[in-house]
Amino acid sequence: MAEIRKADGLIDWLDQRLGVKKLTKVLMTEYWIPKNINFLWAMGVVLTALFTVLVVSGIFLLMYYKPDAKMAFDSVNYTIMQEVAYGWLWRHIHAVAASMIFVIIYIHMFVAIYYGSYKNGREMIWVSGMLLFVVFSAEAFSGYMLPWGQMSYWAATVITNLFGGIPFIGNDVVEWIRGNYVVADATLTRFFMLHVFLLPVVIIILIVVHFYSLRVPHVNNQYGEVLDFEAEEKKYLEGKKKESKVIPFWPVFLSKDIFVICTFMIFFFYLVCYHYDFAMDPVNFDPADSLKTPTHIYPEWYFLWSYEVLRGFFFSADLGLIAFGIAQIIFFFLPWLDRSSKVAPAHKRPAFFIWFWLIVLDLIVLTIYGKLPPEGMNIYVGFVASIAFLVLFIIVLPIITIVERKKGGVQ
Amino acid sequence: MKELKILILLIVVIGIIYWGVEPLAHSIMHPKVAPADYTFKDLKKMDLSTGDAQKGKKLVEENCTACHSIKSQNMPAPMDNASAGAAYGVVPPDLSDVGAVFDHNFLANFIKNPIEATKLTHKFGDANPYPMPAYDWMSNDDISNIVAYLVSIAPKSLTDKEVFAQACQRCHSVSYDKTYALTPAEDLEKYLGAKAPDLSMMIRSRGEKTLSVFINDPQKLLPGTSMPRVGLDQKAEKQVIEYLQKVGDSKKPQRDALGIKIMIFFAVMALLAYAWKRKIWKDLH
């Protein structure tokens, strides 16, 4: 046991028992971040803030929400929205944050792709991040169902039906997931458990893993420069702050992030109070009706691109399902599909730069056409965009990066 | 400067996605229809200027009160709601307020030929008669006398809820306001061929604009629906929507008032954070 002396204050008292000073150093003041980063690197902290907002608002909603097919709709739309003081605020915060978190996740992901942060030693950061994305998707989907509105009910029906495509055991799997032959009360209660307990716990664990995965290979920077972190932090600690290429997480890195978060929150609360419907499908304000299919069924905006890959192969449901399956996992393999190991931002890699913007463009097309009704020209646009997505990842990316490597890397 | 460029690029990309997923998709899934027509152009214009309320009163007593009540004139309904629902399929409306809620020319045309006026020819006819008979055998003068009488007994102003009760409550409930349809649900379902939805959340699922077009002429947005064109004048329709707004979105005033305060709070926080960031980072460059 450590030697305990009379403490000269609360911090000292805690330090002697819990080593809080060491802990703050490891986690905050001597956790080094490269200096040459832009505000895009603040997205990680924005995501952490948004997730906290989701957890807190979710706990408030949990107090009044009833996970029962007969009561769920009214408990949200009447009890929480109208009877509970400021219940509407928590609900809108929760719903808008759920959508905004995907905006930020996509930005975070594409920043990593643009600057090559998934490559050469940072694969685990990328893989744990992608795992987070997948679990966040499940979390969003299970939560979307809870108000038991018309669109969420039918979206749940369509999505759970997808598992029917699994060979041999498909139908049993669908029934097992739903707990019934159709989406019904049993489905609602189990999705409720997943949404408020199991998935959030998994997300928290994955966030810890994701943060930890940054500690050894360190955060990437704007130029993909390989830094000698030990030498740089020594310079910083000696007071040569201007020369040092690194900064501590607290207070330097966070001071910029807090500014970004506050600015983001102005926009966020504009949405919460004046434009909450940007993220809420109006059809969801009709109670779920298992006897009446809505004219158009589509998922939330952040799933539209993969939904369009599923629909894109309009002539074959099986091919669509296979493509959809590939689209779900293809991002995981990015570090290995990119055959050039040198880390550099996309504008220093001409072919990759074009590839990057083609992927962004293709995903935008997929997202937009994922919402439009599948008729006329739309189905062909969807088909071409779906094929393009797979070809860009599986064929084009390895080829251009092999050529890049043979030419001797980046310019 | 470089960061500003990145920000602009981000806003452009997100803006394009938003435009595609919201306004564009919406305009394709819900093609534009003509705006609400409060003059009911398709109906014949009847001359109502010479209507005589006194003569109208007699005609109403002879022709209408066998089925309709006029509570404000102490004329009770001949049947209770349950019996009326069973007999007609839907409870006949009380006539006390109709002159204040419906367009007068629509009302005249409705008396003359209810199926035409309500645009329910696809639903009612000889095989399936409409509960109210057409008074097309009546002269236009008599009809204008009836309208004059109904207008003369109508109150000058009604609350939003009273307008709603007159126009919608025979079929529709608003359970979030503990307002329930007058016609028993089973009779109504038989009569309409479908359930009449509860309107508590309609303001949020359909929105003000769509509702105003829909109430004005349901067939325009939902061809083949059993909902009649009810013939509300512009003011009454506005009151119905006002009522649905108050019930379905009762916290709107609170939301509008609070939003700006939270935004100002974060604007101040952002300024403070920026000043702090400047202070810390000035040693670094």
Side-chain angles (χ1 to χ4, degrees):
Chain A
M1 200 174 84
E3 193 188 329
I4 303 287
R5 343 162 237 102
K6 184 167 169 37
D8 60 12
L10 180 63
I11 301 289
D12 188 40
W13 191 91
L14 284 172
D15 190 41
Q16 290 187 47
R17 287 154 183 84
L18 293 173
V20 289
K21 282 180 185 160
K22 180 99 194 269
L23 195 70
T24 345
K25 272 189 181 174
V26 173
L27 291 179
M28 309 275 275
T29 57
E30 291 186 12
Y31 170 31
W32 302 97
I33 309 276
K35 197 190 279 176
N36 58 21
I37 47 170
N38 55 44
F39 81 93
L40 292 171
W41 267 266
M43 295 305 141
V45 176
V46 174
L47 282 172
T48 320
L50 272 178
F51 181 66
T52 312
V53 163
L54 277 168
V55 171
V56 173
S57 58
I59 288 171
F60 278 103
L61 294 174
L62 197 49
M63 294 178 197
Y64 297 97
Y65 172 76
K66 306 265 190 239
D68 179 313
K70 286 199 188 69
M71 298 155 90
F73 184 83
D74 288 342
S75 76
V76 173
N77 288 300
Y78 187 62
T79 313
I80 292 173
M81 288 299 292
Q82 312 216 28
E83 288 205 307
V84 176
Y86 293 98
W88 62 267
L89 181 62
W90 295 113
R91 198 243 175 144
H92 283 175
I93 285 178
H94 200 74
V96 171
S99 216
M100 282 319 287
I101 210 164
F102 276 92
V103 175
I104 310 291
I105 285 178
Y106 282 131
I107 296 173
H108 197 56
M109 237 169 99
F110 279 86
V111 169
I113 297 177
Y114 188 90
Y115 290 103
S117 308
Y118 53 91
K119 296 210 284 182
N120 200 21
R122 296 199 177 89
E123 292 90 344
M124 275 315 297
I125 307 175
W126 177 259
V127 170
S128 58
M130 281 312 299
L131 274 175
L132 264 173
F133 174 74
V134 170
V135 185
F136 258 114
S137 302
E139 176 72 356
F141 173 59
S142 57
Y144 183 54
M145 253 194 79
L146 297 186
W148 213 238
Q150 178 70 333
M151 187 56 88
S152 58
Y153 178 90
W154 287 96
T157 303
V158 171
I159 301 295
T160 48
N161 238 343
L162 287 181
F163 293 92
I166 300 171
F168 308 114
I169 53 165
N171 289 338
D172 295 321
V173 173
V174 173
E175 216 178 288
W176 178 76
I177 291 171
R178 289 177 179 167
N180 200 325
Y181 301 114
V182 291
V183 173
D185 190 65
T187 325
L188 176 64
T189 46
R190 66 185 53 195
F191 275 47
F192 174 69
M193 184 285 291
L194 287 174
H195 185 71
V196 304
F197 175 67
L198 190 55
L199 295 174
V201 169
V202 174
I203 286 176
I204 290 167
I205 294 170
L206 281 172
I207 289 176
V208 173
V209 173
H210 191 58
F211 282 176
Y212 176 66
S213 69
L214 287 164
R215 287 312 296 258
V216 180
H218 290 283
V219 176
N220 189 20
N221 54 67
Q222 266 194 101
Y223 310 118
E225 200 180 342
V226 182
L227 299 177
D228 181 348
F229 273 81
E230 276 174 29
E232 298 298 332
E233 68 178 76
K234 214 170 137 211
K235 275 191 222 161
Y236 190 94
L237 290 173
E238 281 167 2
K240 293 184 227 158
K241 291 186 182 176
K242 285 199 172 73
E243 270 171 54
S244 174
K245 287 184 171 174
V246 296
I247 49 171
F249 186 74
W250 171 268
V252 182
F253 180 69
L254 270 187
S255 69
K256 190 170 179 180
D257 282 20
I258 290 171
F259 164 66
V260 174
I261 290 176
C262 290
T263 313
F264 173 75
M265 283 295 162
I266 303 173
F267 171 63
F268 179 76
F269 278 98
Y270 161 74
L271 292 178
V272 165
C273 292
Y274 304 113
H275 203 34
Y276 60 86
D277 52 349
F278 101 96
M280 290 178 164
D281 196 296
V283 183
N284 245 352
F285 290 100
D286 285 336
D289 184 348
S290 57
L291 300 174
K292 211 167 97 192
T293 326
T295 331
H296 308 284
I297 302 178
Y298 41 80
E300 289 288 79
W301 71 267
Y302 38 83
F303 295 139
L304 286 171
W305 66 271
S306 58
Y307 182 61
E308 186 59 16
V309 171
L310 173 76
R311 287 200 311 190
F313 295 83
F314 57 90
F315 45 83
S316 159
D318 289 336
L319 269 184
L321 204 59
I322 292 169
F324 175 74
I326 294 173
Q328 297 309 302
I329 54 164
I330 194 76
F331 279 97
F332 277 94
F333 297 100
L334 194 61
W336 297 279
L337 288 167
D338 186 332
R339 308 302 304 162
S340 152
S341 65
K342 190 124 196 306
V343 178
H347 56 261
K348 301 268 187 207
R349 308 167 66 192
F352 182 82
F353 184 76
I354 295 169
W355 177 88
F356 176 86
W357 285 109
L358 281 178
I359 267 291
V360 171
L361 188 72
D362 193 49
L363 284 170
I364 294 174
V365 170
L366 284 170
T367 299
I368 293 175
Y369 280 83
K371 181 123 179 203
L372 298 180
E375 4 173 270
M377 271 307 287
N378 293 0
I379 53 174
Y380 297 101
V381 174
F383 176 60
V384 171
S386 304
I387 291 276
F389 177 79
L390 296 176
V391 168
L392 279 171
F393 261 99
I394 301 172
I395 300 169
V396 177
L397 180 61
I399 291 176
I400 60 164
T401 47
I402 288 171
V403 171
E404 183 187 285
R405 192 181 61 204
K406 288 193 171 154
K407 274 191 183 166
V410 299
Q411 295 174 359
Chain B
M1 263 309 100
K2 199 175 167 201
E3 301 207 29
L4 198 66
K5 266 189 217 154
I6 298 174
L7 182 66
I8 290 168
L9 199 61
L10 262 184
I11 291 172
V12 168
V13 169
I14 292 171
I16 293 172
I17 295 173
Y18 176 78
W19 168 81
V21 172
E22 283 298 317
L24 175 71
H26 195 267
S27 71
I28 289 175
M29 288 190 283
H30 308 278
K32 262 210 168 105
V33 293
D37 159 33
Y38 298 103
T39 56
F40 303 98
K41 275 196 241 58
D42 58 310
L43 298 176
K44 272 198 200 87
K45 200 91 192 124
M46 286 212 235
D47 180 19
L48 300 173
S49 56
T50 54
D52 180 337
Q54 274 313 310
K55 286 184 192 157
K57 183 174 186 205
K58 196 159 165 279
L59 284 165
V60 166
E61 282 167 358
E62 283 166 3
N63 292 289
C64 312
T65 50
C67 301
H68 292 280
S69 59
I70 311 180
K71 289 194 181 120
S72 66
Q73 309 300 310
N74 292 320
M75 294 185 217
M79 278 190 251
D80 62 73
N81 284 345
S83 321
Y88 304 114
V90 61
V91 174
D94 182 89
L95 302 183
S96 314
D97 301 340
V98 289
V101 170
F102 300 112
D103 177 76
H104 298 164
N105 189 52
F106 179 92
L107 199 53
N109 274 280
F110 177 84
I111 297 168
K112 204 174 170 85
N113 189 339
I115 305 180
E116 291 281 335
T118 53
K119 289 199 170 179
L120 288 177
T121 46
H122 58 285
K123 195 145 182 69
F124 297 102
D126 293 336
N128 181 23
Y130 190 77
M132 167 154 156
Y135 283 78
D136 42 7
W137 49 266
M138 240 183 210
S139 71
N140 281 2
D141 283 344
D142 283 347
I143 290 180
S144 86
N145 291 340
I146 292 178
V147 172
Y149 171 67
L150 293 174
V151 171
S152 75
I153 61 167
K156 285 281 160 291
S157 73
L158 289 166
T159 65
D160 295 347
K161 192 171 177 171
E162 282 166 338
V163 175
F164 177 87
Q166 177 68 65
C168 320
Q169 207 191 339
R170 289 193 295 139
C171 302
H172 291 286
S173 300
V174 181
S175 56
Y176 289 1
D177 192 37
K178 300 192 169 52
T179 299
Y180 298 99
L182 303 178
T183 311
E186 313 80 70
D187 295 321
L188 199 59
E189 198 175 342
K190 241 183 276 161
Y191 171 71
L192 294 172
K195 283 190 183 109
D198 187 288
L199 301 184
S200 304
M201 290 306 289
M202 275 300 161
I203 192 74
R204 289 192 79 159
S205 68
R206 299 297 183 277
E208 201 177 317
K209 261 199 201 128
T210 309
L211 275 181
S212 71
V213 176
F214 184 77
I215 298 171
N216 179 258
D217 184 356
Q219 301 300 334
K220 224 191 276 183
L221 290 176
L222 205 59
T225 180
S226 351
M227 167 146 163
R229 172 167 75 170
V230 287
L232 292 178
D233 64 23
Q234 192 164 6
K235 179 173 166 249
E237 188 195 274
K238 220 176 141 215
Q239 283 187 280
V240 167
I241 292 172
E242 239 344 79
Y243 172 71
L244 292 177
Q245 170 79 51
K246 265 182 263 168
V247 174
D249 197 8
S250 62
K251 301 290 182 174
K252 191 170 187 295
Q254 198 180 44
R255 216 166 55 219
D256 289 346
L258 187 67
I260 189 70
K261 289 180 195 150
I262 303 180
M263 286 166 71
I264 291 172
F265 170 79
F266 277 108
V268 172
M269 290 298 286
L271 285 176
L272 290 175
Y274 188 68
W276 184 47
K277 188 239 154 192
R278 284 284 295 261
K279 185 175 157 247
I280 289 180
W281 281 67
K282 75 175 191 304
D283 297 340
L284 300 177
H285 287 300

